[in-house]
């Protein structure tokens, strides 16, 4: 077992639950300390140590790092694109202050590595929207995207100034069945599966032709761990890596679901999230991640749809 002690901040979110369980399989349950401001997620109960921790409390975080002799931190706590637009200043504070506190602890305690997720939300309507390059025009229009790009720049600064090994990737929309989505613009791609199984109908808050980059959570978790385990000499950027698996629209995911549930019906009622989605890429160029540290996706829309419906039937006791 690798001799690391990992602290996960935001362990009860959509990514956090699955990343905590995956890291516990790799490093051992007691080597992965899960924390969140919320109560422990049911899927984490009994799987390893859990503490209540506010990501903004740098003193409590520092004390836990010292108490547990932490060597790596995964900071996942953040307010996402849709939620963030409801309270921009609070979103900026939570997303940035938590990150700066962790970066300072990383330097002060000479931590081995830090992971901090970015998002394709860093791109905006002036960015080339098809096969969006690793380096391009970056003018985010949501406070979430602004905070994620500013965070990337801080990560790069802490690496170049103090040698901190902080790594990041720009997640597309993530689709999972184990954990709930966290208030993002891509959450429709999770809700649609649940509603298809429960009611055979769904009202989508994006228009039918809204193409967005997406990824199954299994690929995202595996890619995150592979990035963190890559040797440092393979990491050629300390901004966040573009990473991608597929792009689809609500119309296409509907067809994929109807292959299994022919009676499934969808209606479209775009809301404020449509404007956010319209400012994001339709597809991502992730050649740098594939070349530098061997990123490869494994799930396409059909394979993901099969697995989502199979797993959700069991979870929702509809099997
Ligand atoms: C969101 N799920 O919708 C997140 C993600 C690319 C989207 O960052 O805000």
């Amino acid at each position: 077992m690798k001799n690391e002690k990992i602290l996960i901040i935001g362990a009860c979110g959509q990514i956090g639950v699955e990343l905590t369980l995956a890291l516990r399989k790799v490093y051992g349950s007691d080597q992965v300390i899960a924390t969140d401001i919320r109560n422990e997620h049911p899927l984490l109960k009994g799987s390893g140590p859990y503490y209540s921790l506010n990501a903004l409390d740098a003193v409590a975080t520092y004390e836990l790092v010292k108490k547990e002799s932490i060597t790596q931190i995964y900071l996942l706590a953040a307010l996402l694109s849709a939620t963030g637009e409801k309270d921009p200043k609070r979103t900026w504070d939570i997303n940035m202050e938590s990150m700066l506190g962790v970066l300072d602890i990383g330097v002060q305690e000479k931590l081995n590595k830090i992971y901090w997720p970015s998002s394709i939300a860093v791109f905006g309507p002036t960015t080339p929207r098809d096969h969006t390059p690793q380096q391009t025009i970056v003018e985010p229009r949501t406070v979430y995207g602004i905070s994620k790009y500013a965070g990337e720049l801080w990560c790069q600064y802490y690496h170049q100034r103090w040698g901190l090994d902080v790594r990041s990737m720009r997640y597309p929309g993530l689709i999972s069945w184990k954990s709930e989505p966290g208030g993002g613009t891509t959450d429709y791609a999770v809700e649609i599966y649940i509603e298809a199984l429960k009611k055979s109908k769904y009202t989508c808050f994006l228009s039918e032709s809204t193409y967005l980059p997406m990824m199954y959570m299994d690929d995202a978790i595996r890619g995150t761990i592979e990035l963190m385990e890559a040797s440092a000499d393979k990491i050629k950027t300390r901004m966040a890596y573009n990473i991608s698996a597929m792009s689809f629209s609500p119309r296409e995911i509907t067809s994929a679901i109807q292959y299994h549930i022919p009676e499934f019906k969808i209606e479209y009622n775009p809301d404020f999230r449509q404007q956010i989605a319209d400012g994001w890429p339709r597809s991502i160029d992730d050649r740098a991640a594939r070349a530098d540290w061997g990123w490869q996706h494994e799930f396409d829309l059909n394979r993901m749809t099969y697995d989502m419906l199979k797993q959700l039937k069991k979870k929702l006791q509809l099997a």
Side-chain angles (χ1 to χ4, degrees), residues 14 80-82 118-121 144 171-174 182-187 213 280:
Q14 184 191 17
L80 302 184
S81 59
S118 185
S119 161
I120 62 155
Y144 170 67
Y171 289 129
L174 299 181
T185 301
T186 57
D187 290 1
W280 286 354

Side-chain angles (χ1 to χ4, degrees), residues 60-277:
T61 303
Y62 172 75
E63 287 169 352
L64 191 53
V65 165
K66 297 297 287 182
K67 173 173 179 270
E68 294 288 350
S69 305
I70 295 297
T71 62
Q72 294 186 28
I73 296 179
Y74 286 66
L75 172 58
L76 306 171
L79 294 185
L80 302 184
S81 59
T83 306
E85 290 305 289
K86 294 170 186 166
D87 191 342
K89 189 60 183 60
R90 178 168 176 263
T91 301
W92 174 262
D93 289 345
I94 287 173
N95 293 3
M96 300 318 295
E97 292 309 315
S98 60
M99 185 208 64
L100 289 167
V102 163
L103 292 178
D104 283 338
I105 291 170
V107 172
Q108 189 179 324
E109 295 306 305
K110 296 182 175 51
L111 297 188
N112 292 342
K113 290 175 196 169
I114 288 176
Y115 181 72
W116 182 77
S118 185
S119 161
I120 62 155
V122 300
F123 301 118
T126 56
T127 303
R129 296 190 67 197
D130 296 304
H131 307 298
T132 300
Q134 175 71 41
Q135 289 184 305
T136 185
I137 299 163
V138 182
E139 296 175 329
R141 296 292 170 84
T142 62
V143 66
Y144 170 67
I146 293 165
S147 73
K148 285 301 178 182
Y149 198 61
E152 288 190 31
L153 292 166
W154 274 116
C155 290
Q156 179 177 251
Y157 181 80
Y158 270 70
H159 176 73
Q160 74 190 28
R161 180 77 188 270
W162 291 290
L164 187 61
D165 188 349
V166 48
R167 305 182 186 190
S168 182
M169 59 174 63
R170 294 166 183 157
Y171 289 129
L174 299 181
I175 294 139
S176 59
W177 57 271
K178 283 198 186 104
S179 49
E180 300 68 30
T185 301
T186 57
D187 290 1
Y188 91 88
V190 176
E191 295 168 0
I192 193 169
Y193 287 109
I194 297 166
E195 296 307 304
L197 286 168
K198 281 184 172 175
K199 301 175 188 163
S200 293
K201 65 179 179 179
Y202 177 64
T203 301
C204 185
F205 57 74
L206 297 181
S207 66
E208 65 176 324
S209 56
T210 307
Y211 263 87
L212 288 171
M214 298 282 190
M215 185 179 294
Y216 199 30
M217 185 62 81
D218 291 34
D219 272 343
I221 297 302
R222 177 178 50 78
T224 303
I225 295 174
E226 287 173 0
L227 171 67
M228 289 299 278
E229 296 204 331
S231 57
D233 64 316
K234 294 192 186 306
I235 309 304
K236 309 287 192 238
T237 177
R238 295 296 172 159
M239 300 293 282
Y241 273 99
N242 280 7
I243 185 170
S244 181
M246 55 185 133
S247 290
F248 55 76
S249 64
R251 184 191 304 126
E252 291 181 325
I253 193 173
T254 294
S255 300
I257 292 170
Q258 287 170 336
Y259 179 80
H260 301 276
I261 308 174
E263 66 277 17
F264 174 59
K265 294 279 182 285
I266 188 166
E267 291 178 357
Y268 298 97
N269 184 21
D271 66 14
F272 73 98
R273 289 167 284 193
Q274 184 65 50
Q275 187 180 7
I276 296 173

